[in-house]
Amino acid sequence: MTEVSVAKEDEAATGDLVVLKSVNKHFGALHVLQDIDLTIARGEVVVVIGPSGSGKSTLCRTINRLETIDDGSITIDGKPLPHEGKELARLRADVGMVFQSFNLFAHKTVLENVTLGQVKVRKKDKKAADGRARALLDRVGVGAQAEKYPAQLSGGQQQRVAIARALAMEPKVMLFDEPTSALDPEMINEVLEVMQQLARDGMTMIVVTHEMGFARSAANRVVFMADGRIVEEASPDQFFSNPRSDRAKDFLSKILHH
Ligand SMILES: Nc1ncnc2c1ncn2[C@@H]1O[C@H](COP(=O)(O)OP(=O)(O)O)[C@@H](O)[C@H]1O
Ligand SMILES: [Mg+2]
């Protein structure tokens, strides 16, 4: 699975989970996403890399409809993105998102952060939601912090809570937008390890990161973006050892030799 296939008509049959076809988006005069075609198979881990300002965050945000698109289509599990209301809340639950800034609810405990959506969106009863939350907090290694508030945790712990909160919703796909960029170096690995485990467990993941070690060991495919376009896609091995485009070569020389 080193090259992306041409978008297929029958997503359910082929196991494609996230399909973007000819997606375009502008911010005023800026053409931030240009004819994006991207297909993510069920269970696939795709790492998106590229220079700052190339549209990586915008791409992620369109997939859970934090941003609208001008034209083209995006489907999740064969269904177009809903526009509003309950359907949109469910989509946001199906597409878990973890941002660079941890985005936890500051005035809720860690446990409440992980139970809230389960009760409100997934309509779980409180006890079941609590049980799942505690199990997930244990799994990401912060079970002992359940009664604390986010500000009492380290950045690495907060980010792991954010991952647990997204997982609590039983998402079909997880989007990570530079999840370790705001962390002190000693905390980066504890977050990457949780993500590695998730990848091994078969979660479908789209990960924007400059952590090349993670890309090499966890990604099935690397997508390189520049100036709003997908310039190159390849297996991590192929991409890192033999990038084809000048843009990718230039980018890699900067991040690998700084
Ligand atoms: N809400 C917005 N309004 C206007 N311009 C934006 C907005 N969000 C992002 N941009 C611009 O779109 C471009 C791509 O941004 P972004 O998707 O954040 O790139 P990346 O994540 O690759 O750094 C940048 O030039 C950025 O300034
Ligand atoms: Mg970004």
Side-chain angles (χ1 to χ4, degrees), residues 56-57 177-178:
K56 307 180 299 293
S57 292
D177 189 3
E178 302 206 32

PDB file of all heavy atoms in Angstrom, residues 56-57 177-178, ligand 2:
ATOM      1  N   LYS A  56      -1.998  21.662   6.129  1.00  0.00           N
ATOM      2  CA  LYS A  56      -2.183  20.404   6.853  1.00  0.00           C
ATOM      3  C   LYS A  56      -3.300  20.503   7.896  1.00  0.00           C
ATOM      4  O   LYS A  56      -4.161  19.627   7.973  1.00  0.00           O
ATOM      5  CB  LYS A  56      -0.865  19.974   7.533  1.00  0.00           C
ATOM      6  CG  LYS A  56       0.325  19.909   6.593  1.00  0.00           C
ATOM      7  CD  LYS A  56       1.591  19.490   7.308  1.00  0.00           C
ATOM      8  CE  LYS A  56       2.037  20.428   8.422  1.00  0.00           C
ATOM      9  NZ  LYS A  56       2.480  21.767   7.961  1.00  0.00           N
ATOM     10  N   SER A  57      -3.271  21.570   8.683  1.00  0.00           N
ATOM     11  CA  SER A  57      -4.303  21.721   9.714  1.00  0.00           C
ATOM     12  C   SER A  57      -5.669  21.934   9.069  1.00  0.00           C
ATOM     13  O   SER A  57      -6.676  21.358   9.519  1.00  0.00           O
ATOM     14  CB  SER A  57      -3.991  22.909  10.634  1.00  0.00           C
ATOM     15  OG  SER A  57      -2.847  22.635  11.395  1.00  0.00           O
ATOM     16  N   ASP A 177      -3.342  16.482  15.007  1.00  0.00           N
ATOM     17  CA  ASP A 177      -2.693  17.622  14.362  1.00  0.00           C
ATOM     18  C   ASP A 177      -1.533  18.109  15.224  1.00  0.00           C
ATOM     19  O   ASP A 177      -1.730  18.835  16.191  1.00  0.00           O
ATOM     20  CB  ASP A 177      -3.705  18.752  14.123  1.00  0.00           C
ATOM     21  CG  ASP A 177      -3.116  19.863  13.267  1.00  0.00           C
ATOM     22  OD1 ASP A 177      -1.953  19.742  12.816  1.00  0.00           O
ATOM     23  OD2 ASP A 177      -3.825  20.871  13.053  1.00  0.00           O
ATOM     24  N   GLU A 178      -0.328  17.700  14.872  1.00  0.00           N
ATOM     25  CA  GLU A 178       0.885  18.042  15.615  1.00  0.00           C
ATOM     26  C   GLU A 178       0.706  17.869  17.121  1.00  0.00           C
ATOM     27  O   GLU A 178       0.913  18.810  17.899  1.00  0.00           O
ATOM     28  CB  GLU A 178       1.327  19.475  15.274  1.00  0.00           C
ATOM     29  CG  GLU A 178       1.564  19.641  13.770  1.00  0.00           C
ATOM     30  CD  GLU A 178       2.561  20.752  13.448  1.00  0.00           C
ATOM     31  OE1 GLU A 178       3.478  20.966  14.250  1.00  0.00           O
ATOM     32  OE2 GLU A 178       2.408  21.371  12.390  1.00  0.00           O
TER      33      GLU A 178
HETATM   34 MG    MG B   2      -0.884  23.222  11.320  1.00  0.00          MG
END
